[in-house]
Amino acid sequence: MSRRLGSDTIASMRQVPGSVERRRSARSLRLLATLSAALACSCGGLAGSLAVVDPVLAYLSPAAAEAFGSYAEALVVLPDEGASAALYAAIDTRAPATLFLSPLLASEIPYILARDGSTRVACVAITAPTPDPRLCAAVFSPADAASVAGAMAAEEAIRLARNASPPVVAAVLSSGDEAREAFVAAYAAAGGPGEPVVELAEGGFSKAIAERLRTMDVRVAYVSVPPDQTARWLESAFDGYAFRIVAEAFPADGLRPSSDATIAWDLDATLADLAGLLRSGGSGNVPGRWKAETSRPRRANKPVEVGR
C-alpha cells in the first residue's frame, strides 16, 4: 500500500477524547477479532463479490464496516499491521468478480485493475478516482453535505421565525464556493427566512471571522471544517444557545458535545446506489449520500434560565 494504515493515520483523521477512544477502540478490536483474518459470509450480496475494509474505517465506525458486508458475499477487515499483504491475499484467495473497497483503499485501485482483466471494482471515495470501464465509485462531496445542512438550517430558522424576527443563520466552510452556493441554494429552496451569512475558512481558523460571527448573535450555525478545527470554531464563533450543525463522516457518541446535529455519511444508502450501478452493468460515479442526525437532546435556542 502507498502508506501504513495505523494509529498515526487514525489520529490524524479525528481527535478522540480518552474515554471515548477507549470505548471505541475496544468495540473495534472486537469487530477486528471477528472479521479481520477470515471471510465472513453475508446474505443478499452480489454474486461472487468481496468487500475489503481498511482498519481505519473499522476503528472509526464498526457499523460502517459491517454495512459493506451486507452488499458483498464475503467481507474482510484488514489488520493494522501487514494490511497490504492481507488485501492482496484476500483478493487472490477469493478471486472476486466484484470487489468493494473502503475509502483509504482507493489508492490501490489502479494496481488491482492491472492485476486482473475481469474483476470489477466498486469504491467509496472522498475524491473521484481515475475513470475505468470496470470501476464504479461513490464520491462524497462537501457541496452535497452543505445542501443537506442548508435544508436543516432552514427548518430551524423557520421554527424560530414563527415567534420572533428571522434569526441570523451562518455557515463556516473550508471547502470553497461550490459548498457555499449549495448551502445558500438549499436554504432558499427549503423556505429559509432571510439570507444566510457564509464565511469561507480555507486558510484554517480565523480569529477575526470568529469574532465577527460572535457579534451577530447567530441562532443557527453550520460548520464544515477539518475535524481538528471544529470545536474551536463552535466555541469561538457561536454561543451555547445557537443551533449548531457540524459535518462529520462518522459521528460518535460523546465526540460533539457542543453540537446539536451532524451531517454524516449515509453509507447504507450510498452502497445501495453503488450496488444498483453494478447490477445495471454500468460504470462511473454516483454521489455519496449524506444524512442529518441529531447529536443531543435539543437545548439550543432556549432562553437562558434565571441564575445561570
Side-chain angles (χ1 to χ4, degrees):
M1 286 187 172
S2 58
R3 62 174 173 169
R4 178 180 178 271
L5 300 177
S7 57
D8 292 343
T9 306
I10 292 168
S12 69
M13 293 182 70
R14 172 183 288 152
Q15 303 298 318
V16 183
S19 61
V20 177
E21 182 176 4
R22 287 191 292 272
R23 293 197 301 271
R24 170 156 280 187
S25 180
R27 188 167 67 246
S28 299
L29 287 173
R30 288 195 295 270
L31 177 67
L32 288 169
T34 304
L35 300 174
S36 63
L39 300 177
C41 292
S42 62
C43 299
L46 292 172
S49 61
L50 168 68
V52 182
V53 173
D54 64 81
V56 175
L57 180 64
Y59 174 86
L60 293 178
S61 178
E66 291 173 346
F68 276 88
S70 64
Y71 289 93
E73 280 191 337
L75 170 67
V76 168
V77 177
L78 298 178
D80 184 13
E81 301 293 338
S84 181
L87 167 64
Y88 290 101
I91 295 172
D92 291 341
T93 298
R94 189 77 181 188
T98 302
L99 178 65
F100 287 90
L101 296 175
S102 63
L104 287 186
L105 301 179
S107 61
E108 300 298 318
I109 291 172
Y111 308 106
I112 293 170
L113 291 173
R115 293 174 87 242
D116 185 284
S118 59
T119 298
R120 301 185 71 198
V121 175
C123 72
V124 173
I126 298 171
T127 58
T130 302
D132 187 277
R134 291 185 286 130
L135 176 61
C136 298
V139 183
F140 284 91
S141 162
D144 291 337
S147 183
V148 176
M152 188 178 205
E155 180 182 358
E156 176 68 6
I158 291 169
R159 185 186 74 82
L160 293 174
R162 292 189 188 122
N163 300 314
S165 59
V168 177
V169 177
V172 179
L173 311 173
S174 63
S175 46
D177 289 336
E178 186 179 0
R180 175 176 59 187
E181 292 168 3
F183 181 84
V184 172
Y187 182 84
E195 185 173 343
V197 176
V198 180
E199 297 282 1
L200 297 183
E202 296 171 294
F205 178 79
S206 167
K207 183 179 179 181
I209 292 176
E211 290 179 347
R212 182 163 64 248
L213 290 171
R214 191 80 179 195
T215 65
M216 293 181 182
D217 191 29
V218 175
R219 295 297 87 206
V220 184
Y222 173 53
V223 176
S224 177
V225 297
D228 61 348
Q229 299 176 21
T230 302
R232 190 177 183 188
W233 276 108
L234 290 175
E235 294 163 6
S236 301
F238 314 108
D239 66 43
Y241 293 93
F243 185 84
R244 307 174 182 193
I245 309 166
V246 300
E248 183 176 25
F250 302 108
D253 293 341
L255 290 187
R256 288 288 178 261
S258 55
S259 68
D260 299 277
T262 304
I263 309 302
W265 287 11
D266 189 341
L267 200 54
D268 283 331
T270 298
L271 288 170
D273 290 344
L274 200 53
L277 180 60
L278 288 165
R279 290 190 178 98
S280 73
S283 62
N285 299 340
V286 296
R289 294 215 209 175
W290 298 81
K291 60 185 177 181
E293 296 183 338
T294 301
S295 302
R296 63 180 182 184
R298 177 183 290 278
R299 71 175 180 87
N301 290 316
K302 291 184 177 180
V304 178
E305 296 176 5
V306 175
R308 175 170 291 184

